[in-house]
Amino acid sequence: MDNKQFECNLIDQVHNLQQQGRQSYRQANFQSAQNFYMQAIDRIGIFQAINISISLENTTITDQFRCDLYHDLSKVYIRKDQYDQAIEYVLESQRIANQLQDQVRTARCLDRQGEIKLLKNQYHQALQDLKHSLEIKLDVLGNDGEDNLDIAESYHILSKVYLAQDRFDTSNSNCKKALDIRIKLLGENDLDVIESYLMRIQIYMQQSKFDEALDILDKYVEVAWKMFYNKINNYVIAKLYNDMGVIYTYQSKYEKALPVFELSLTFRVNLFGDSHTHVAESYNNIGNVYYYQFKYDNAMSMYDKSLKIRLQLLGDSHLHVAESYNNIGNIHCYQCQYDNAIQMYDKSLKIRLQLLGDSHTLVAESYKNIGNVYCYQSKYDDAMLMYEKSLTISLKFGSSSTHNAELYNNIGNIYCNQSKFNKAVSMYEKSLNIRLKLLGDSHTHVAESYNNIGNGYCYQFRYDDAMSMYEKSLNIRLRLLGDSHTHVAESYNNIGNIYSYQSKYGDAMLMYEKSLNIRLQLLRDNGKAQPMFPESLNIESKLLVDEHIYIAELYNNIGIVYTHQTKYDEALSMFEKSLSFLSHLTSSRDVQTDVSKLYNSIGIIYFLQNKYDKALSMYEVSLSIQLEMSMENHPDTAILYNNFGDVYYHQSVHDQALTMYQKSLDIQLRLLPEYYLKTAILYISIGQIYYHQSQDLLALLMFEKSLDIRLQLWKKYQTDIYKSFSKIESFHHCQSNYDETLLIFEKSLDIRLTSSGTNHTNISTFNKIGKVYWYQSTNDRALLIHRELLKKCSKTNEYKAVSYNKIGKAYFRQSKYDEALLMHEESLKNSLKSLNIDHIYIYNSVTIVKFIHIVDSISHTDCKNIADSYRCIGKVYKHQSKYDDALSMLQKSLNIWESLHGDYRSHIAKLYSNIADINSLQSNWNEALTRYQYASKKYVEVFGENYPKLVPIYAAMTYIYEIQNKDNEAVTMRNKSDCIRNSQQKNNQIDYQANSQPLQANFGSQGKEYILLKYLGIGLRSMRV
């Protein structure tokens, strides 16, 4: 065989080996491809080994083969994630291409170098290489460049780089260019064309355009089946099904994702065997599905399988191994096994630092995950340090990336947990701006940002702003996720919270029910159990642990609404349902926190029902849970101590109440800002204790501290300042310091008029000034004030009713009973007008009671005004000796008070006492005695045995018993009366009814804020970041 024939045979062998290698490569059989390429290179080496002279023409051909083979080997090593070997071969290929002065081959080498830098997340350097490559190709190929597969390859890789940078429009543009060239030259049914479509799918997935991505997948799965079924190229079908599973996972359609991942795995195992990187990828993806389904044991099994294959094939220092460690860390983190999570994240971080250096986005991801663990452990300083490390790295690759947006969001969560709400909102807005820029205004991450900003506004009591954010989030979620998604349920819940805080309880209940229906349907769809019987739930699977928590939260929120509506039995039922759901879950820290808060909620209900021993029992359980979790210095613990103090205060155990309030204050002063509304409220509580202990100067000091805080918070909480003014006014008023009282009222009125002009709160202050004159017995001045008040509220029936009543009371004190009667009747008419009740029902209290039950949204204030008018008319009739008419009016008042939701025992007791007085005047002694007994019983329940208003009741009962010759009973009543008088003299106490009322008495025009502040402290997950 002559040299020429030998050369031709050798070149043919090299060519055949190269084609076999490329065929193996296209089948994803990379080891086989590598073997073929190496054999071809060995064949070329034979020339030198046997020193056969080669023609110049064949020398050029063999150099071209060597250049292409080294280039092809670099592609193999890229697919095997062995980047160091890949760069060695591509540099050798480039050296030969330069010798050949073959610019196209040089450009191909630049493509490979750019691809390697892309995979190392060196995006800027990758773009430099790829743009240089494209310039060379376009320059060499000229007008034919736009119809060349090498040009398409450059566009394809550029699209990948731009996608990694979240530059979706540019990525899509380059992808389209590559696709158009490939379709034109290769037709629709070619593997390279499918690769371009797969690239477009990746772009759609990153933009959450899942439907568009699935449309492409559905089409090309069918094409791939026709092209490759029963052929060795089934890896293409495996890849398509894998991507389809990824999309379903993004959409939270786990029941669809799992079977397609398993089908992809089957193809890959059949094609590559049990030990292959693609098989490891499939196990990893199946593990992700189980992770999102809370099937942590199954997920861990899949991650372990993936990790073992990767360790076997890739060694213990590979990026895929780092990914496996990271995913296993995620499971430990979600199971609250934080030490194990940190251990896995550290392993992942060390590999990434070793391979990628300390300025890589994957390193940034590891820092972020470690920060998440610290955040869950409430180690906010450590978490912030990790987030800042992550952000410092990420910012090197540009200020606008989805990773940066997530970090800003997480930093916002920390600020929110630290009650730094302004900073939290600022971070959330940074995150939102990036997401809007990169993802557009219709993306689930954008919806998350709107939701979190809403949370920040809600904490700042900016309810209208919060509602706007929640509605934006809801609209996006409904459009992208449908109306039965867990995130949609979250939005309905948050909107319900706003309505609840705004006292729009009907709207709140509607939102909560929508959210609850979605959550319960998710349980039913997964076939776990009947949702109303949580004891039958199969919690061991952990499939819907979060859904159980959210359902518990919704029952809690509904309970809060019932509490605001003073429907305490219904509220208690809701809190107990919530507790029942949580009691069946794994005792993670979050779950235990929520359980503790629910016991606190139940305790508050018992407190509002005056079941103080039960309330204390619930608070003790809640406190024990918090202390077990080392929450001694936590805002929730401060709330609990405050609640203990409330109970002890109402049990008149003032020393213990003061101790509890002081513990609460110590925590709040350590953790919360210097000027904080809850602290102002706590100073009021402590001041009331000092007042009851006759430590007047300390009491006044506490009230003034509260006022100082509220004045500092003036712009945010203008209306709340008047609570402190009210307490200081009450202090002076109860000591008969009427001049000081007037001065406080005038200061309050001046601030109100300056800030808001004449409104209902200012009218209230006019009213109080009139009351001071009334107490000073300067009835003319009182009348003047109330007439001025009547002018200011001439268009408001409610306030007109109040003013007419006050004027009537002033006339009554002047014994001008006819004038008083006229004013009280005018008051009654205006009250009824505000309820839109026709005048023919004026004296039909039964109709009013029915109306109240039918229209539950009627203001209790209106109803109270009507009841007060009936009582005042009754008092006038009594002094006019019209006893039957008086009894009729007082009974009407009593009917209304007894129909209202809430604790109005003191009002009811007063009316029974008034009716008993008239029974006595009519010598109906037994009826009078029965009503006095009932009145005294209610007063004792509410205010205790030493309540001053019991004195006249006991005196009246003594008189009746004496008439009936019941001497023993008369002596008993007289002794009780004397005991109260002696107690008053001993303690130098005065009738301070405003501070002796139960908590409900504080729920007046500003009372809803007070309840809200308490419940903001016990809200479940919706108010926890």
Side-chain angles (χ1 to χ4, degrees), residues 425 428-429 432 448-458 466 469:
V425 169
Y428 292 146
E429 287 174 344
L432 173 63
E448 178 193 35
S449 290
Y450 282 132
N451 184 77
N452 288 347
I453 292 171
N455 289 341
Y457 287 153
C458 188
M469 293 297 105

Side-chain angles (χ1 to χ4, degrees), residues 680-708:
I681 294 173
L682 195 51
Y683 278 127
I684 290 289
S685 299
I686 294 173
Q688 291 180 168
I689 296 295
Y690 285 137
Y691 175 80
H692 281 288
Q693 292 177 332
S694 300
Q695 301 184 55
D696 297 341
L697 293 178
L698 286 176
L700 190 58
L701 177 63
M702 294 297 105
F703 295 151
E704 288 172 344
K705 280 190 174 184
S706 176
L707 178 60
D708 179 59

Side-chain angles (χ1 to χ4, degrees), residues 403-416:
H403 182 80
N404 290 355
E406 183 180 3
L407 282 168
Y408 287 130
N409 184 76
N410 292 355
I411 292 171
N413 291 343
I414 289 180
Y415 284 137
C416 215

